Amino acid sequence: MRITPIDRIILEGPDLAGKSTFFKMIHKKTNYSWVISDRSALSSIVYARLNGRDEYFHIEAFKKEINNLNNVVIILLPDWNVIAERFQKRGDEIQNIVSLKKVYDLFLEAVNEFENYPNVITIRREVDENLVSYIVHGLKSHFSTLPFHEHSKAFKNAANCNSSLERVGLSLTHYDDGMFDDISEEMLRYEKEKVYYNKIRKKLIKKIDSELAGINEYNRIETHESRRFIYTDNSCLSLCHFLLRNEFLYGEFYLRSSNAKETLSYDMNFIKSLMRDVYSKLSEYSDIKMCKIDLKIGSSHIVNS
């Protein structure tokens, strides 16, 4: 079993857009499978702009939310006439029709800026059962069935949304119970990177073997729960750190830089193969139930030929 879980679904949009209705329908459809938040940093940006307040820290907070590719932002923005009609029928405790239109227009600006992000979904019509079923099916398919390396497309799409063709600080979390059935052996033989990959693999395995044998600066034999199972370098894959705790193997990976269009899928496939290697070695000492991969990329970019 493997899964790239949804950390949080964030519902955004102007007042009277249907967020509360959508919130209830998606919970009912999934039997409370996901954590769903009604509004977050994007609303803080909109209302800061509406009221002339400093928005810098809200923008940084929103970047942090969407840079976590385990988060999904759903923006509800039906036609303005739908919003206006709901206001005439129900009113609003905070907004009048003028301020409500200003909020709507600010969310429209946000949609035009962010709707192409890989983890942002824009709904431009009224919510119904069919729409909710479609979204739930799409999210489950994306997060539950994709091989780890195919999530490289999300990193690429995020980079492609910036005029600089670069996105800084993207992250993704992925779990595997030890099957590792999505690793492509063919991708590990990628001609441009295979020598580099083999160099890292040998250095990492030697490091673990040395620590377990007590070949270190302390002449101390480490246990399978050592904190010293780490690979560091100044190359693109800068850090791999493994911790085994309570039958749970944690792998932290930092790519300081990766070409999201050309090599990232290979890098991610290689990273998962490293997790498999460490899992196999440490399984000699402990019954490992689950592996967790935390991947962060400093610069996810696209290089134009």
Side-chain angles (χ1 to χ4, degrees):
M1 183 274 289
R2 56 180 160 81
I3 187 171
T4 305
I6 294 175
D7 284 351
R8 188 162 53 121
I9 294 176
I10 302 166
L11 300 185
E12 279 290 3
D15 306 77
L16 304 176
K19 295 186 299 298
S20 297
T21 300
F22 188 87
F23 183 93
K24 294 174 183 176
M25 291 174 74
I26 200 168
H27 269 321
K28 181 180 179 181
K29 188 72 178 176
T30 63
N31 197 22
Y32 292 86
S33 296
W34 298 319
V35 175
I36 304 177
S37 302
D38 185 357
R39 297 193 185 280
S40 191
L42 182 57
S43 281
S44 297
I45 295 170
V46 166
Y47 284 95
R49 289 177 179 176
L50 181 68
N51 295 290
R53 297 193 299 263
D54 189 346
E55 62 193 59
Y56 174 80
F57 295 106
H58 299 311
I59 291 173
E60 289 303 302
F62 185 60
K63 286 180 183 178
K64 185 176 180 179
E65 288 173 355
I66 62 172
N67 278 356
N68 178 356
L69 295 176
N70 295 90
N71 286 338
V72 179
V73 179
I74 300 178
I75 306 175
L76 278 68
L77 196 71
D79 187 81
W80 164 247
N81 291 331
V82 173
I83 302 288
E85 184 177 340
R86 288 175 182 169
F87 179 81
Q88 295 301 329
K89 290 180 179 179
R90 295 156 42 186
D92 188 85
E93 295 180 357
I94 300 175
Q95 307 292 350
N96 57 47
I97 193 67
V98 175
S99 63
L100 184 59
K101 184 62 165 65
K102 290 180 180 178
V103 170
Y104 182 90
D105 288 342
L106 287 169
F107 270 106
L108 182 59
E109 289 180 13
V111 163
N112 292 335
E113 182 175 354
F114 297 114
E115 66 178 339
N116 291 323
Y117 276 71
N119 53 341
V120 174
I121 299 171
T122 302
I123 299 175
R124 295 180 178 270
R125 64 182 182 86
E126 295 187 66
V127 173
D128 57 28
E129 290 286 349
N130 290 334
L131 179 61
V132 171
S133 296
Y134 176 78
I135 290 173
V136 168
H137 174 75
L139 291 176
K140 286 184 175 180
S141 297
H142 179 78
F143 284 94
S144 298
T145 64
L146 275 185
F148 179 61
H149 63 267
E150 288 197 14
H151 285 281
S152 62
K153 296 174 184 175
F155 288 90
K156 181 183 73 173
N157 291 340
N160 199 46
C161 286
N162 282 3
S163 58
S164 63
L165 298 180
E166 180 189 42
R167 190 76 188 173
V168 173
L170 294 172
S171 65
L172 185 73
T173 298
H174 177 80
Y175 292 84
D176 197 294
D177 65 356
M179 295 296 291
F180 300 108
D181 59 357
D182 58 334
I183 296 173
S184 167
E185 300 301 328
E186 182 180 355
M187 291 177 71
L188 292 175
R189 295 187 290 270
Y190 178 50
E191 192 63 35
K192 292 182 179 180
E193 299 290 341
K194 66 180 182 180
V195 173
Y196 174 62
Y197 292 159
N198 287 333
K199 176 184 174 183
I200 294 173
R201 191 187 309 279
K202 288 178 181 178
K203 186 174 180 180
L204 172 65
I205 297 304
K206 182 179 179 181
K207 169 69 172 174
I208 295 174
D209 285 339
S210 296
E211 295 296 341
L212 292 172
I215 305 172
N216 53 43
E217 60 265 43
Y218 305 107
N219 294 316
R220 181 181 68 204
I221 296 176
E222 294 289 322
T223 72
H224 59 279
E225 292 189 335
S226 174
R227 301 178 181 89
R228 293 174 57 84
F229 300 148
I230 189 167
Y231 163 88
T232 59
D233 197 72
N234 61 3
S235 62
C236 290
L237 182 52
S238 304
L239 181 142
C240 310
H241 186 211
F242 300 89
L243 285 170
L244 179 56
R245 295 291 184 274
N246 301 318
E247 301 179 332
F248 220 95
L249 180 60
Y250 298 88
E252 296 275 348
F253 299 88
Y254 183 74
L255 275 164
R256 66 162 179 79
S257 175
S258 186
N259 185 335
K261 182 178 179 181
E262 301 294 338
T263 62
L264 181 55
S265 61
Y266 297 96
D267 291 343
M268 291 177 68
N269 184 68
F270 172 64
I271 282 169
K272 189 152 189 188
S273 77
L274 286 180
M275 196 75 181
R276 179 180 62 183
D277 291 345
V278 177
Y279 170 89
S280 298
K281 182 166 286 292
L282 298 185
S283 291
E284 300 174 16
Y285 304 90
S286 176
D287 183 19
I288 302 173
K289 303 294 187 185
M290 186 63 68
C291 301
K292 181 185 180 184
I293 294 174
D294 279 314
L295 171 63
K296 185 171 183 179
I297 303 181
S299 168
S300 180
H301 57 272
I302 296 171
V303 177
N304 281 330
S305 57

